[in-house]
Structure formats: C-alpha cells, structure tokens
Amino acid sequence: QVQLVESGGGLVQAGGSLRLSCAASDSIFSFNAMNWFRQAPGKQRELVAVMPSGGTPSYLNSVKGRFTISGDNAKNTVYLQMNSLKPEDTAVYYCAADLFGSRYWGQGTQVTVSS
C-alpha cells in the first residue's frame, strides 16, 4: 500500500514562501508521476504541478515562475517550493502518486496566505 505524508503547510503573508514536502513509502521514481494538487474552499481540486518520471515538470499557468516541484529519491520525498505567494494560493495542498493507472493521495496540508 502506497503511503504519502505531506508537511510544511502553514500561514504566510503575501509575497512569502513555503516549501511543502511529501514523504512517500516507496521510491518516488518507481511511480509514473508525482503530483501536487490543491483545493480551495468551494472550488474543485486542481493540478498545480506534475513531475513525470524521467520527464519535464509542468505547472498550472497561475503558478508558473513561482512554484517549483522537485524530488529527492534518497529521501523518497517530493517538494513543492512556493515563492511569491498570493492570497489566491490559499488551499489544502495534496500530494498524489500515479502508478499504472492508479492514483494514491496524501492527507493534505493547509496553506493560508494572508493579504
């Protein structure tokens, strides 16, 4: 059973930075892709960043140039570095791992950006 545990969320002022971590129970490069999603109150969950195994990361347009997804296979951990945060980035952020047609989710971590 794949397990994912997010951490690093919190309250930050607009313009600030946070780094989210997602610790996986298996090697992150054993998955087809690692993803970060977010869900704001009253809104649908949206894909923020995806890191395909051996491929180039891609990002939601609204976070391009501000967010960076990366991985440390030695630590089985994926990161989401978030800079220049805006109030509209406020959401619960979820890590997800894709493996042969299945998607596994973490429990989420709250990010709140104050204006």
Side-chain angles (χ1 to χ4, degrees):
Q1 181 72 14
V2 175
Q3 295 185 335
L4 303 169
V5 179
E6 300 100 330
S7 61
L11 174 63
V12 64
Q13 289 188 331
S17 297
L18 282 175
R19 188 178 77 160
L20 305 183
S21 299
C22 171
S25 56
D26 299 296
S27 167
I28 59 174
F29 293 116
S30 68
F31 299 108
N32 303 122
M34 297 296 298
N35 312 275
W36 283 99
F37 286 80
R38 69 185 181 188
Q39 188 166 20
K43 295 187 177 181
Q44 289 189 329
R45 192 171 295 189
E46 61 182 357
L47 178 62
V48 175
V50 57
M51 185 172 70
S53 179
T56 302
S58 59
Y59 300 91
L60 181 69
N61 280 341
S62 61
V63 308
K64 282 181 182 177
R66 301 189 297 123
F67 289 12
T68 303
I69 187 171
S70 63
D72 185 338
N73 197 44
K75 297 182 178 180
N76 290 353
T77 299
V78 175
Y79 303 99
L80 185 68
Q81 177 67 45
M82 306 186 294
N83 299 327
S84 302
L85 282 161
K86 304 176 181 180
E88 51 264 43
D89 295 319
T90 295
V92 178
Y93 283 71
Y94 298 90
C95 175
D98 296 338
L99 183 63
F100 301 124
S102 295
R103 176 165 283 165
Y104 302 89
W105 295 92
Q107 83 287 352
T109 185
Q110 176 71 47
V111 171
T112 303
V113 184
S114 63
S115 57

